Structures are given as C-alpha cells and as structure tokens.
Amino acid sequence: MAVAAATTEPLHPPLRKKPLPAGRPREWYVSHNRRLKAMRLAIALLDTGVYQPSSADNSRIRATADRLAIHPPSDTTCRMVRTLIRHGR
C-alpha cells in the first residue's frame, strides 16, 4: 500500500503585493481595505467550518481576527463578512 508523502511546500507561490493606484478619494482606499479584510476573515471562518452567517456573530469574527493577528473589525466589516459567507455558498 502506497503512503502519500507530506510536504511543507505551499501549493501556490505567494502573491506579490502591488501598490494601490494613486489619486483616488480616501473613501475608495478605506472601502478597498475593508473588502480585503472581510474576504480574509470570511475565508478563515469558512476554513474553520463556519458556513452559516448566523454562526458568525461579531465576537466570533473578532476572535478570528485576533487569531490571524488582524486589527479587530468594525461592525460594518463584520456585516460584510456575514454577507460574503451567505453569498459564497
């Protein structure tokens, strides 16, 4: 019987960060960064088995942010995380 070898190499190379475009209104940058944070948190919650928005209350989302070393999200970002979970199924 063959045994699969465990590897510690990532499946995909890390993405390079590109600078954000200059000249946009400040609100655009705030919104952009909020969407990125919400997406990161939604993915982490889905990876831990949270598939229902009702299971993702603000305290659970903030605990996940703490575990990922992300600043605690605002109520608006928490709502966005629940929306992403709802529509990501």
Side-chain angles (χ1 to χ4, degrees), residues 10-72:
L11 296 175
H12 304 285
L15 298 175
R16 289 186 352 189
K17 289 187 177 183
K18 293 186 257 180
L20 294 175
R24 305 258 172 124
R26 183 178 189 284
E27 188 54 40
W28 183 89
Y29 298 103
V30 171
S31 172
H32 174 77
N33 289 329
R34 185 178 309 241
R35 287 190 306 266
L36 290 178
K37 180 187 271 190
M39 182 67 77
R40 233 177 285 131
L41 289 168
I43 290 168
L45 286 165
L46 289 168
D47 285 346
T48 60
V50 177
Y51 301 114
Q52 298 295 324
S54 59
S55 301
D57 59 350
N58 287 0
S59 62
R60 188 167 200 171
I61 294 170
R62 289 185 176 119
T64 302
D66 187 46
R67 203 168 28 91
L68 297 174
I70 299 174
H71 284 282

